[in-house]
Amino acid sequence: MNIGLTGGIATGKSTVARSLTERGAILIDLDGIAREVVEPGQPSLLAIAQRFGQAVLQADGTLDRKKLGAIVFTDPVERKALEAITHPAIRAVMKERMAYHENHTPRKLVVVDVPLLYESELESYFEQIMVVYVPREQQLQRLMERDKLTSEEALKRLNAQMNIEDKKLRANILIDNSGSFAETEAQIDRFWREKRLG
């Protein structure tokens, strides 16, 4: 079985992903893949430098995420241009890894952590979708604290994604992460038992 794991920025997806892997699930992390496809020597990095200029590269040839982020988080057109470069490469690696696990570990739960699952219209790749949820106000607060952002900077990042309340409505499996760690763990345990994964 595979599930797509999503939520919003600063909702605690990583915590839920870690809890699932501790129970034996296999994790495919799209943020990790996104970093892989823009490593020096990768076609995506070359395309980014051509589109956004050499200024988005550091002296050692690696991507300067902060400079690129400053461009794409303030301009939807630029963000779309970046996505057009990186998304096909990320998707290809994701499909390859999902197929590998389907063939080699068919009895294991494969969890694919996809931050922008709905925004990228990837629902069809997964049997079910798990959304990690916290109310938007709490999400904003966590993001400001975690990334040391002003409320304006944090809001820009939130507004670049689909509203968490809309994602909540589309979930097959909802994990409410607004309470304690123990409460989140209890929900994951219940999911694990219901799916008879243990």
Side-chain angles (χ1 to χ4, degrees):
M1 179 188 182
N2 72 57
I3 61 168
L5 175 67
T6 195
I9 191 169
T11 56
K13 249 185 335 50
S14 301
T15 302
V16 171
R18 193 164 47 249
S19 291
L20 289 164
T21 56
E22 282 167 2
R23 287 164 174 78
I26 292 165
L27 180 67
I28 298 173
D29 174 19
L30 257 66
D31 273 346
I33 294 172
R35 284 189 290 275
E36 287 173 36
V37 302
V38 293
E39 284 174 358
Q42 293 292 331
S44 295
L45 184 62
L46 186 64
I48 288 169
Q50 285 171 342
R51 173 66 178 76
F52 297 97
Q54 295 296 313
V56 299
L57 298 182
Q58 302 194 78
D60 63 358
T62 58
L63 184 63
D64 189 327
R65 294 177 180 284
K66 210 161 192 162
K67 279 189 183 160
L68 185 60
I71 297 167
V72 300
F73 281 121
T74 54
D75 187 337
V77 173
E78 298 294 353
R79 193 172 71 248
K80 286 277 178 223
L82 176 65
E83 289 169 358
I85 294 167
T86 58
H87 284 191
I90 294 166
R91 205 168 294 185
V93 176
M94 176 192 83
K95 284 159 68 176
E96 187 183 293
R97 291 186 188 169
M98 285 173 73
Y100 174 86
H101 290 298
E102 203 173 296
N103 291 326
H104 292 83
T105 53
R107 300 176 73 93
K108 291 248 186 189
L109 172 68
V110 176
V111 177
V112 187
D113 182 345
V114 190
L116 301 177
L117 190 150
Y118 292 117
E119 294 88 338
S120 305
E121 298 177 349
L122 295 177
E123 299 97 315
S124 63
Y125 289 101
F126 308 107
E127 291 168 53
Q128 290 196 307
I129 295 165
M130 177 183 281
V131 172
V132 183
Y133 169 82
V134 299
R136 191 170 160 89
E137 280 308 306
Q138 191 177 359
Q139 185 186 14
L140 182 65
Q141 203 57 45
R142 284 184 182 183
L143 181 57
M144 286 164 63
E145 287 166 16
R146 188 190 76 183
D147 293 359
K148 311 283 183 275
L149 301 172
T150 65
S151 61
E152 191 184 353
E153 289 168 330
L155 267 172
K156 267 185 191 165
R157 281 167 166 72
L158 285 193
N159 292 335
Q161 299 185 348
M162 182 189 288
N163 190 307
I164 191 64
E165 302 299 334
D166 295 331
K167 291 183 182 184
K168 177 185 179 181
L169 296 174
R170 295 171 72 170
N172 302 115
I173 309 145
L174 187 72
I175 302 292
D176 186 332
N177 195 31
S178 60
S180 68
F181 179 67
E183 288 168 328
T184 299
E185 284 283 288
Q187 293 172 72
I188 296 166
D189 276 335
R190 192 161 54 246
F191 159 76
W192 201 260
R193 280 196 311 272
E194 284 169 3
K195 296 294 177 193
R196 293 186 172 85
L197 294 162

